[in-house]
Amino acid sequence: MPTAPVMTFAFEDVVKGFALDKGMPGQRFVFTPHPIANIPAATCREYLSGNDPVTGRPIVQELVSALTSPLTDEEKKTGFIQRPVRSRLIGPDTEERLQRLFYANGFTDGLPIVLPTEERVRAMLKGTSHRPDELAGKMQASSVREFWSYTVEKVAINAVMAGAKPEHFPVILAIASTGVPAIFTSTTSFARMVVVNGPIRNKINMNAGIGALGPFNEANAVIGRAWTLLSKNLGNAGSPGSVYMGSHGNNLNYNNLCFPEKEQSLPEGWKPFHVQKGFKAEESVVSVFSGHYLIYGDALANSRCSPPVEQCRYSELIKFMIQDFNSVGPYRTVKATILLDPTAAKRMKDVEGFGSKEQLEQWLKDNIMIPVWEYWVTYPKDYQAGKSGTEPFASWLKLPPETIVPVKKYNPPKPYEVPGIILKDPISIIVVGGETLPVWYVGNFDYITSASVDKWK
């Protein structure tokens, strides 16, 4: 069936890359001006009446031509596309020239790397019992790009480049085995997070205390950086404009919020995160998350803390922060991850009565409501019913848009009327920090998956 996909010209390189991945390098596209989101319909119509910004010819003419022109000899070709094969080794040169070579080819994160000589890679491989040629995983930059697979040796090369030591390598292999790229093809500038649980976090001296999320610890830094480098070089995830499309980019991509949970400071009854996910406490595990940002919170800096500060319930303050996370786009999958300093966790156990993470998660799910404007976007039929006088919607129409109504964000009363998924496990809690102040971060990070580190020793 003749098909002519229509795209905005900002995505020319992206869609042509998709077509090449799918074996159709000659796929016919028609392009419009950019952007088309959040602009009037009349402007979109003007676009369609104008010229294709790539070819300079009228868009309608391009559409007709794409649908009716006979196939060219190039388009009739069948068989497989021959991909270039990279040499396993690069010839000797000065360190400065090799550093520039790696940077110029997009193999780095823009910072100097440790050059992956054969000797250094062999030393890294001593950090695992697995064979160098064993398949470590496969990764795709997004759900529509092709998978790239990689061996243990290729992961070791990127680990060396990041500055990792052999003792860090099983953790890096576990991250690689998840197949989750640190850099994701999206216009929304995703970030990633990896949390390490189990004995390995102490064995390799990871920092879960003061400054755990900061630039102070070798293992935290290089393991997170290795995830970014292997995602670029082994997952095809790092070519701005052709694969990576984050409009702003995200500074967290440099090392991806890599830290361990401070298990030794968990309140009694609170399980380590990996145990919540079904692993044994003595197992070493990585858990990966996806999101965009973290927001700082404490009782002193929160305007919603109306009682004396010492009487403010941290659970209420965190509830308000998550309540402000909204998504009315096509995904509607607003999750939340809470990074609690151990002192805040202890207070929530001792003073507020949360005997486990699960109790706190459930309380938040039961008490986080949505503003009335979000309700109208989610249930447009009720908006129309309100305009017809049906209660309580008619009364809700008189409320300011930001007014909270008694509808649970994570347990709505009925299926959405717009695209979206009602989340089963939307809130994650990690305990980390130096116990210098009862503080927390709340971010829109989604838990994706966990993987065993022990398997890769």
Side-chain angles (χ1 to χ4, degrees):
M1 177 181 293
T3 303
V6 180
M7 304 295 297
T8 72
F9 79 94
F11 295 90
E12 179 187 359
D13 290 342
V14 176
V15 296
K16 288 182 177 177
F18 289 169
L20 178 62
D21 283 353
K22 302 301 180 185
M24 298 185 295
Q27 171 72 49
R28 300 175 180 184
F29 291 101
V30 178
F31 295 96
T32 71
H34 183 86
I36 57 172
N38 303 317
I39 64 172
T43 304
C44 289
R45 186 173 183 82
E46 288 177 12
Y47 287 171
L48 293 176
S49 300
N51 291 338
D52 180 322
V54 174
T55 66
R57 294 189 289 268
I59 287 176
V60 174
Q61 181 181 317
E62 289 287 82
L63 280 169
V64 173
S65 176
L67 293 170
T68 61
S69 297
L71 294 176
T72 65
D73 290 341
E74 188 68 24
E75 290 170 330
K76 291 178 182 176
K77 285 184 177 177
T78 59
F80 294 94
I81 298 173
Q82 296 299 320
R83 305 296 175 89
V85 178
R86 288 179 179 172
S87 172
R88 181 172 175 272
L89 295 174
I90 298 172
D93 209 329
T94 66
E95 177 165 1
E96 182 178 356
R97 286 171 60 86
L98 288 171
Q99 287 280 356
R100 296 312 299 174
L101 176 69
F102 274 71
Y103 174 72
N105 281 279
F107 298 158
T108 79
D109 52 8
L111 298 171
I113 58 166
V114 176
L115 291 173
T117 64
E118 286 192 282
E119 181 182 5
R120 288 168 178 163
V121 173
R122 279 197 299 271
M124 182 63 67
L125 288 167
K126 291 180 180 177
T128 181
S129 60
H130 290 257
R131 299 190 321 274
D133 62 350
E134 183 176 334
L135 187 67
K138 60 181 181 179
M139 187 178 288
Q140 58 182 158
S142 75
S143 58
V144 297
R145 304 306 296 244
E146 65 179 334
F147 277 101
W148 286 16
S149 59
Y150 37 83
T151 63
V152 169
E153 182 184 57
K154 289 184 176 178
V155 178
I157 292 169
N158 286 271
V160 170
M161 291 168 61
K165 302 280 179 57
E167 58 265 33
H168 305 144
F169 194 38
V171 181
I172 296 169
L173 281 168
I175 295 170
S177 75
T178 66
V180 177
I183 302 174
F184 185 68
T185 296
S186 171
T187 55
T188 58
S189 304
F190 275 98
R192 301 292 203 216
M193 179 167 72
V194 55
V195 178
V196 181
N197 281 100
I200 191 73
R201 72 194 199 288
N202 293 328
K203 186 176 179 182
I204 60 176
N205 297 315
M206 295 191 78
N207 177 27
I210 294 176
L213 277 63
F216 307 109
N217 177 271
E218 181 183 55
N220 294 25
V222 299
I223 291 170
R225 188 189 188 199
W227 189 12
T228 290
L229 293 179
L230 71 89
S231 299
K232 292 188 70 174
N233 298 323
L234 308 182
N236 187 28
S239 299
S242 59
V243 179
Y244 180 78
M245 295 300 291
S247 190
H248 286 97
N250 197 314
N251 201 253
L252 298 178
N253 290 145
Y254 279 103
N255 85 328
N256 304 295
L257 288 171
C258 175
F259 58 89
E261 185 167 35
K262 199 170 186 180
E263 296 179 30
Q264 65 273 29
S265 296
L266 284 166
E268 185 178 355
W270 287 39
K271 299 174 186 173
F273 188 77
H274 70 309
V275 176
Q276 287 187 282
K277 298 303 176 186
F279 291 87
K280 296 177 181 176
E282 63 270 25
E283 292 181 273
S284 294
V285 174
V286 294
S287 299
V288 296
F289 300 72
S290 176
H292 298 90
Y293 55 81
L294 294 175
I295 300 175
Y296 172 80
D298 67 25
L300 297 173
N302 198 309
S303 62
R304 283 152 160 166
C305 181
S306 54
V309 168
E310 65 274 12
Q311 296 178 21
C312 286
R313 287 175 58 85
Y314 296 172
S315 51
E316 286 281 349
L317 301 178
I318 291 171
K319 179 193 78 173
F320 289 133
M321 293 176 73
I322 300 176
Q323 201 159 261
D324 289 341
F325 291 178
N326 302 115
S327 173
V328 293
Y331 306 109
R332 293 196 58 82
T333 52
V334 178
K335 295 189 180 181
T337 293
I338 306 163
L339 307 183
L340 279 175
D341 185 87
T343 54
K346 185 175 186 302
R347 173 181 166 121
M348 296 176 87
K349 161 76 186 304
D350 296 342
V351 178
E352 301 183 23
F354 295 105
S356 67
K357 289 182 180 177
E358 290 79 5
Q359 288 182 9
L360 176 56
E361 290 164 3
Q362 187 60 50
W363 183 87
L364 290 167
K365 286 191 286 187
D366 289 341
N367 288 277
I368 295 173
M369 307 294 167
I370 63 173
V372 68
W373 69 264
E374 187 176 347
Y375 187 83
W376 298 140
V377 174
T378 308
Y379 299 103
K381 292 179 181 177
D382 288 347
Y383 177 79
Q384 295 300 327
K387 294 181 72 173
S388 300
T390 302
E391 293 293 352
F393 311 120
S395 296
W396 289 5
L397 281 171
K398 301 173 185 175
L399 300 172
E402 295 297 333
T403 304
I404 300 298
V405 291
V407 176
K408 296 179 181 178
K409 181 189 285 287
Y410 295 118
N411 187 18
K414 55 186 177 181
Y416 299 142
E417 293 175 4
V418 294
I421 301 171
I422 296 176
L423 302 168
K424 179 183 176 183
D425 192 19
I427 297 174
S428 300
I429 299 172
I430 312 292
V431 174
V432 61
E435 305 182 48
T436 57
L437 193 67
V439 295
W440 54 86
Y441 280 118
V442 179
N444 68 337
F445 281 80
D446 308 349
Y447 167 71
I448 302 176
T449 189
S450 299
S452 168
V453 175
D454 299 332
K455 177 183 174 183
W456 292 100
K457 289 181 177 176

